Amino acid sequence: MKIRPLQTDLSGFGRLNLDRPPVGVKYLFFRPEGMEQLPLDKNLAFCEMLKEAQFAKAPFYFSRENNETCVGKILLGMTDMEPFAEAGQIGPRLGMVQEARVNHNFYHHVPRLSKGIVNYVAFAPIDKLTFEPDVLIITATTKQAEIVMRAMTYSTGEPYYSKTTIFMGCSWIYIYPFESGKVNYLIPEMIHGMNGRELFEPNTVLVSIPYQWLQTVAQNLREIKMVFHESKAEYLAEFEEILVDLIKESEKP
């Protein structure tokens, strides 16, 4: 299947000077054309595929044929959860939750795709991105993440959202934005699996932008200020200057 080619101008993301490139993700029913499959001997968790894509030399896709070492295929609707996991038996043994009932309750909140609608997932770092992504995932420092989130609200006034659970954190970065249409951000160190796999540097923030918001964020990134102040004194001086100027303007007849 041919994928809709990239038309959105994503050049604004280059202004962020990210250490790792943003990654575009596409959910597909049919096998994509002109793209290599992730090698079948690669044994990765769904969250690890983000890191794999950041260092990839070309776009690739993952399918139900590939091995996946965590809950990715369950979240994608490619397979069912084991009954003992659905019953909440893993969390208590890890010491992460008090009882199985707590672990089980997470499954009422974690977004999952309907069974059978996604057979392939395409990944590409932004410099190799040739298709319109369903979500674009940013790996950033807190300061860089603030700029991305500000680019969302800059022209819209939309409030920030951060939603996740201690387990199945990849769902909140891959699937929740796609299903809800909301930009979401989270801290990997607060997610048990991402933290345990040591996928990201300390103080990293992941921001996931769904296709509904991509043009707005991309456009605003080309326009907004990257840095405001180098110090508290500079911030206070600018704020005072603005207030003085506004008072003078308001006093004019």
Side-chain angles (χ1 to χ4, degrees):
M1 175 186 175
K2 292 183 178 180
I3 308 177
R4 178 180 171 83
L6 179 65
Q7 298 179 12
T8 306
D9 182 355
L10 301 178
S11 60
F13 288 94
R15 298 183 66 202
L16 295 169
N17 296 316
L18 299 166
D19 290 336
R20 296 190 188 185
V23 171
V25 179
K26 187 79 172 177
Y27 302 112
L28 301 161
F29 185 83
F30 296 107
R31 191 183 301 270
E33 295 180 5
M35 190 181 300
E36 294 295 321
Q37 184 172 1
L38 183 72
L40 295 178
D41 60 354
K42 282 270 189 180
N43 297 310
L44 301 175
F46 196 21
C47 57
E48 290 179 301
M49 293 179 199
L50 174 61
K51 184 176 180 180
E52 182 79 7
Q54 289 169 334
F55 297 99
K57 295 180 180 179
F60 65 85
Y61 68 87
F62 160 83
S63 84
R64 62 174 68 245
E65 302 161 359
N66 289 93
N67 187 36
E68 196 274 333
T69 62
C70 196
V71 295
K73 286 186 178 180
I74 296 168
L75 299 174
L76 291 165
M78 293 180 175
T79 189
D80 293 322
M81 184 179 290
E82 291 287 352
F84 64 79
E86 191 85 46
Q89 296 300 312
I90 297 176
R93 296 201 179 199
L94 290 170
M96 294 298 294
V97 296
Q98 186 182 63
E99 291 188 39
R101 64 186 182 188
V102 181
N103 198 154
H104 175 74
N105 189 55
F106 282 123
Y107 304 140
H108 297 296
H109 303 285
V110 174
R112 303 189 214 179
L113 294 175
S114 298
K115 192 172 181 179
I117 67 168
V118 171
N119 297 314
Y120 307 93
V121 184
F123 296 83
I126 197 168
D127 60 327
K128 308 290 191 309
L129 189 59
T130 58
F131 54 84
E132 285 287 342
D134 290 331
V135 293
L136 186 74
I137 303 175
I138 316 298
T139 303
T141 64
T142 52
K143 288 186 177 181
Q144 292 166 334
E146 184 276 330
I147 296 170
V148 176
M149 297 305 295
R150 180 158 43 86
M152 177 198 72
T153 199
Y154 179 71
S155 64
T156 66
E158 186 76 7
Y160 297 174
Y161 298 97
S162 178
K163 194 170 184 179
T164 190
T165 47
I166 58 173
F167 300 129
M168 298 182 165
C170 55
S171 177
W172 299 99
I173 233 41
Y174 284 117
I175 296 172
Y176 173 69
F178 176 64
E179 292 280 89
S180 69
K182 294 179 179 179
V183 177
N184 195 33
Y185 70 96
L186 58 80
I187 300 169
E189 287 174 290
M190 296 178 69
I191 311 300
H192 183 74
M194 291 183 185
N195 192 38
R197 286 180 170 83
E198 299 180 345
L199 296 179
F200 307 101
E201 296 296 324
N203 303 313
T204 292
V205 180
L206 298 181
V207 183
S208 185
I209 306 169
Y211 67 92
Q212 296 96 324
W213 277 96
L214 192 53
Q215 288 193 6
T216 298
V217 174
Q219 168 60 36
N220 288 342
L221 278 175
R222 297 196 295 272
E223 180 180 338
I224 64 174
K225 293 174 67 173
M226 292 285 115
V227 179
F228 287 95
H229 318 99
E230 298 295 336
S231 66
K232 177 181 177 180
E234 186 180 332
Y235 161 73
L236 293 174
E238 182 187 45
F239 202 71
E240 181 178 2
E241 182 181 348
I242 290 171
L243 289 177
V244 170
D245 184 60
L246 287 172
I247 290 170
K248 288 181 180 179
E249 286 288 329
S250 64
E251 291 175 346
K252 290 181 180 180

